[in-house]
Amino acid sequence: MTMEMKFDITRSFEQDLKKLAPKEKDRVVVAIDRYAATFDTALDVSTQHVYRPHKLNMPDGLDSSLYVLRVSPQIRVILTIEEDPLFDQKIVTLFRVVKHDDMERAFKSIAESLYQQLRSGESDNG
């Protein structure tokens, strides 16, 4: 049985996608369907198209689900890929579409934002 796919699309992703030429938009959609949707988070092994540019230090031994999807030599998508076995879903959250040269800065910014949310959640709970 195949897990249900759920896509969460951020406003930043939508805005980035609008800036692309129609052919580039098509490449992004195809790459998401082909590589991100089929990525096995249980293996957590980088592929030619889905990878982490560097390891993130997460609190309490948590694993980051933040990845980069290589769409073309110039285009990258920053996204999270998570599996929810309770609801038998794979959830792909699309954060940004960036040029290769802007990927590192955008990845760090999103990672810091996600990490801040975790830290905030810790202080709210403890």
Side-chain angles (χ1 to χ4, degrees):
M1 187 170 163
T2 304
M3 287 186 149
E4 179 185 345
M5 289 296 306
K6 180 181 175 195
F7 291 94
D8 288 336
I9 301 171
T10 65
R11 183 181 301 263
S12 296
F13 178 85
E14 287 179 331
Q15 291 172 344
D16 292 340
L17 197 62
K18 285 180 185 175
K19 295 176 188 172
L20 298 177
K23 189 175 179 179
E24 291 176 322
K25 287 180 190 175
D26 290 345
R27 291 182 86 169
V28 168
V29 172
V30 167
I32 290 168
D33 283 343
R34 186 173 295 161
Y35 303 114
T38 60
F39 183 74
D40 189 344
T41 58
L43 294 176
D44 195 30
V45 176
S46 295
T47 66
Q48 182 180 0
H49 296 278
V50 180
Y51 63 96
R52 289 189 180 120
H54 49 82
K55 180 133 178 87
L56 298 174
N57 292 324
M58 302 294 288
D60 299 328
L62 294 174
D63 289 327
S64 171
S65 58
L66 188 62
Y67 296 94
V68 173
L69 169 65
R70 181 180 185 271
V71 174
S72 72
Q74 292 301 317
I75 300 174
R76 303 290 188 268
V77 173
I78 300 173
L79 68 165
T80 58
I81 305 171
E82 301 168 297
E83 290 187 7
D84 183 346
L86 186 61
F87 294 101
D88 199 28
Q89 291 180 328
K90 182 183 277 188
I91 304 163
V92 177
T93 304
L94 305 167
F95 286 99
R96 296 286 315 269
V97 181
V98 296
K99 298 292 184 189
H100 176 263
D101 294 342
D102 298 328
M103 183 274 297
E104 189 68 32
R105 184 173 46 84
F107 186 88
K108 284 182 180 176
S109 174
I110 292 167
E112 287 173 7
S113 175
L114 292 173
Y115 181 71
Q116 287 295 329
Q117 289 178 6
L118 283 174
R119 299 297 291 170
S120 173
E122 283 181 350
S123 63
D124 290 346
N125 294 330

